[in-house]
Amino acid sequence: MTESKRIGILTSGGDCAGLNTVLRAVVHDAAGRGWTVMGIEHGTQGLMESPPRATRLDPSEFDGTIMRRGGTMLGSSNYGNPFAYPQLDGPDLDRSGEVIAGYKALGLDALIGIGGDGSIAILNKLAEKGGLNLVCIPKTIDNDVSSTEVSIGYDTAVEVATDALDMLQPTAASHDRVIILEVMGRDAGHIALVAGIAGGADVILIPEIPYRIANIVKKIRSIQASGRRFALVVVAEAVPNEAGNKIVQKYAGGRSAYGGIGHLLGDRLAETTRAEVRVTVLGHVQRGAAPDARDRLMASIFGVHAVELIAQGKFGRMVAWQNRQVVDIPIEEAVAAPALVDIDGPVVRTARQLGICLGDE
Ligand code: F6P
């Protein structure tokens, strides 16, 4: 008979499709082992409070609609590092001790943290400081966590961006327009590149490949010369302007996020090609969609593997997908450096062979 355990689970960082599906997998597997699962609200913020904000999760909650929904039923936050927690007035505070106290107050034997590379690095630091038994699951639409071929949420985001191109193409063709689609991707161009190929883009700009406007203009002119009067351009939000500066939107509270390169590019292309240009910024639509089948499957496989790691007492590990297998790797390895697009890899090569302009030639 296996020992009964009480485990916590939290979602941290930007939400994405498939998080509720991970919760369902963990809760079902853990319940089958006779364990209790505590769902912690709003990432580490739920543990900072006294008493911690957490509720017991029951498998019956997940048999209906929740596992199919985007977002996270636990809530999440992509700011508020507990080691430098922002205050309304005054300098940032180190609240890591409160998070560790929250874990202990809940009487947890282990914690599953679902996050991107930033959140996972913070959780690992907390685990090292407080002796927490941590297992992580990678999620991010950006797919830039190292040592795993996929992170939860990426596949759905690509699907959404591809659907957007499928919907933009007929209107671009009807009006003889150049339509630019700006997609997310903080620093990595995976969504833009893959959706651009799948969605028949003529030009794809990613932060990993420097571009020149002249090369894009040349491509659009050659399309026009061939008799086709529309073009589709995909640009990743982290692509800089021609001067090399990334374009950022500032929000209330001093926070900011990438966004705006699509419109800048649109203005430049309208000036230089005389084409009629329109811009669509896809934004958070890429995060809030219902998970596709592949994300649901990966979420389930990752959730079950995380529970098994806890059963085996293997902590400080991140679940990963490599060569069609679920594996686990040391967390340090996963957060050492972001996984950017391999500019000499098969996906970039395929784009070039399809005649897609990547801006560099
Ligand atoms: O990391 C996920 C992500 O969606 C990025 O692609 C994007 O740059 C960022 O989060 C947006 O963050 P926010 O939700 O704060 O606007």
Side-chain angles (χ1 to χ4, degrees):
M1 164 112 185
T2 55
E3 188 195 338
S4 176
K5 291 190 190 297
R6 185 176 167 85
I7 66 173
I9 187 161
L10 58 80
T11 48
S12 180
D15 71 335
C16 63
L19 297 175
N20 293 320
T21 326
V22 180
L23 298 178
R24 174 249 211 165
V26 167
V27 171
H28 268 278
D29 189 345
R33 297 170 190 256
W35 300 0
T36 299
V37 182
M38 299 301 292
I40 297 155
E41 293 172 29
H42 279 95
T44 51
Q45 291 182 12
L47 286 175
M48 254 177 220
E49 291 182 23
S50 180
R53 266 200 289 146
T55 46
R56 187 180 170 150
L57 300 177
D58 188 87
S60 64
E61 287 175 75
F62 295 92
D63 291 339
T65 54
I66 284 180
M67 58 146 297
R68 304 164 206 282
R69 288 226 175 113
T72 161
M73 65 176 283
L74 295 178
S76 191
S77 172
N78 61 0
Y79 73 103
N81 175 356
F83 289 93
Y85 198 77
Q87 303 298 300
L88 276 181
D89 300 307
D92 296 348
L93 269 190
D94 181 355
R95 299 189 62 184
S96 56
E98 291 163 69
V99 176
I100 293 163
Y103 172 98
K104 295 194 172 146
L106 285 175
L108 301 180
D109 296 304
L111 174 67
I112 297 178
I114 312 170
D117 55 353
S119 303
I120 290 177
I122 291 169
L123 287 167
N124 196 39
K125 211 169 146 192
L126 286 163
E128 282 171 354
K129 180 174 175 183
L132 319 185
N133 293 330
L134 176 69
V135 169
C136 287
I137 295 177
K139 66 86 219 165
T140 164
I141 65 166
D142 299 349
N143 207 30
D144 59 353
V145 179
S146 270
S147 309
T148 182
E149 285 153 24
V150 277
S151 293
I152 307 299
Y154 167 66
D155 203 66
T156 305
V158 168
E159 205 61 44
V160 170
T162 305
D163 283 351
L165 286 167
D166 285 349
M167 289 182 260
L168 290 171
Q169 187 274 332
T171 175
S174 303
H175 288 268
D176 295 343
R177 283 174 171 162
V178 172
I179 294 197
I180 298 174
L181 177 68
E182 179 183 309
V183 299
M184 279 187 165
R186 186 160 40 200
D187 306 321
H190 298 290
I191 298 175
L193 181 62
V194 174
I197 293 172
D202 301 294
V203 178
I204 302 173
L205 302 182
I206 58 174
E208 293 87 345
I209 300 181
Y211 70 95
R212 289 185 54 229
I213 289 284
N215 295 329
I216 306 168
V217 171
K218 190 172 72 182
K219 174 71 182 175
I220 289 172
R221 290 208 173 117
S222 85
I223 291 169
Q224 290 166 337
S226 76
R228 169 148 71 84
R229 303 190 60 79
F230 76 91
L232 294 176
V233 177
V234 180
V235 59
E237 62 177 2
V239 166
N241 64 14
E242 290 166 280
N245 302 315
K246 303 231 176 186
I247 313 303
V248 164
Q249 298 297 315
K250 294 202 184 335
Y251 296 106
R255 304 194 50 222
S256 59
Y258 287 140
I261 183 65
H263 284 282
L264 279 187
L265 192 65
D267 290 347
R268 291 288 284 123
L269 292 184
E271 275 162 33
T272 44
T273 64
R274 298 248 179 91
E276 203 182 338
V277 181
R278 293 289 187 272
V279 180
T280 296
V281 179
L282 205 50
H284 295 81
V285 173
Q286 295 156 99
R287 296 220 313 236
D292 67 8
R294 189 170 158 83
D295 267 329
R296 292 184 203 192
L297 178 66
M298 294 313 302
S300 305
I301 290 174
F302 281 2
V304 164
H305 194 70
V307 172
E308 179 57 26
L309 287 176
I310 294 173
Q312 290 178 16
K314 278 179 86 180
F315 301 116
R317 314 283 298 172
M318 186 191 83
V319 174
W321 187 252
Q322 295 176 351
N323 300 322
R324 295 176 167 238
Q325 294 295 329
V326 64
V327 297
D328 48 272
I329 54 164
I331 290 178
E332 287 80 11
E333 198 181 299
V335 298
L340 303 180
V341 169
D342 175 2
I343 60 171
D344 299 314
V347 188
V348 168
R349 198 161 51 245
T350 299
R352 291 194 195 281
Q353 290 306 112
L354 290 175
I356 297 171
C357 168
L358 300 178
D360 58 341
E361 54 184 20

